[in-house]
Amino acid sequence: TAAVRTPEKMRNIGGFCGATLAPEFLSDAGERGDRCVVILDNCEIINFQWLSDGLTLAYDDIWIGFGPRYLYGYNSLTAPSHRGKGLNRCAVRIAGQMVAAPEGKGLAGYIDATNVASILSHWNPANQQLGVALVWPRAEKRLWIFASRTCRAGQVTFARR
């Protein structure tokens, strides 16, 4: 079973997935109006995928946004007891169908180049690839960014805060 939840409905959910959601994270997600697609097994959340319209923390102090035509899929997690079953890929498809498509948007995400398992789990020739962006943090909160033409056209944005 799948459902879409607000950050408020993700507070105090229990289980492995619930233990990973800090109150500060849920507050930030609530302020942006983010939503969460969850996959349930007997009322227990076994996978989640967060969706954002706004500039969202990607890693360290780097924030990312995907412009008005996309929702950013971020912070996905599968409970260890259910890993290897393709739930994350399923959650991404569900997020596209239940949230992005009804809003007339595409679904976008970023995967750190060192996260090979995640890259392989999401690679599918049927997926449309927006493009490639390389980001180098520099001193004084600056970034050097190379973004492919299609990323720039998709209004991918990076910032440091």
Side-chain angles (χ1 to χ4, degrees), residues 75-147:
N75 193 17
S76 58
L77 179 73
T78 301
S81 57
H82 289 76
R83 290 187 181 152
K85 299 177 182 178
L87 290 178
N88 198 48
R89 186 181 296 179
C90 183
V92 170
R93 261 195 322 275
I94 291 167
Q97 294 167 352
M98 292 178 75
V99 182
E103 294 182 14
K105 297 184 177 194
L107 191 60
Y110 103 94
I111 301 172
D112 187 290
T114 62
N115 191 346
V116 176
S118 191
I119 291 169
L120 292 175
S121 78
H122 285 285
W123 181 253
N124 179 340
N127 289 344
Q128 181 180 2
Q129 306 299 316
L130 182 60
V132 174
L134 305 173
V135 180
W136 293 271
R138 303 297 294 167
E140 299 176 21
K141 301 282 184 190
R142 293 186 344 218
L143 296 172
W144 283 355
I145 301 169
F146 165 79

Side-chain angles (χ1 to χ4, degrees), residues 12-156:
N12 305 315
I13 60 171
F16 177 83
C17 289
T20 67
L21 298 172
E24 299 82 22
F25 171 84
L26 293 169
S27 294
D28 290 345
E31 287 175 18
R32 280 191 304 275
D34 295 357
R35 285 132 306 168
C36 186
V37 172
V38 298
I39 297 177
L40 303 153
D41 182 22
N42 294 322
C43 298
E44 179 187 352
I45 295 174
I46 58 171
N47 177 280
F48 60 71
Q49 166 81 49
W50 287 88
L51 302 171
S52 180
D53 287 307
L55 205 57
T56 306
L57 181 64
Y59 63 95
D60 296 336
D61 63 345
I62 310 283
W63 293 68
I64 188 169
F66 283 92
R69 297 181 303 178
Y70 296 93
L71 290 176
Y72 170 37
Y74 73 101
N75 193 17
S76 58
L77 179 73
T78 301
S81 57
H82 289 76
R83 290 187 181 152
K85 299 177 182 178
L87 290 178
N88 198 48
R89 186 181 296 179
C90 183
V92 170
R93 261 195 322 275
I94 291 167
Q97 294 167 352
M98 292 178 75
V99 182
E103 294 182 14
K105 297 184 177 194
L107 191 60
Y110 103 94
I111 301 172
D112 187 290
T114 62
N115 191 346
V116 176
S118 191
I119 291 169
L120 292 175
S121 78
H122 285 285
W123 181 253
N124 179 340
N127 289 344
Q128 181 180 2
Q129 306 299 316
L130 182 60
V132 174
L134 305 173
V135 180
W136 293 271
R138 303 297 294 167
E140 299 176 21
K141 301 282 184 190
R142 293 186 344 218
L143 296 172
W144 283 355
I145 301 169
F146 165 79
S148 65
R149 181 180 48 77
T150 52
C151 277
R152 291 190 307 273
Q155 299 178 330
V156 175

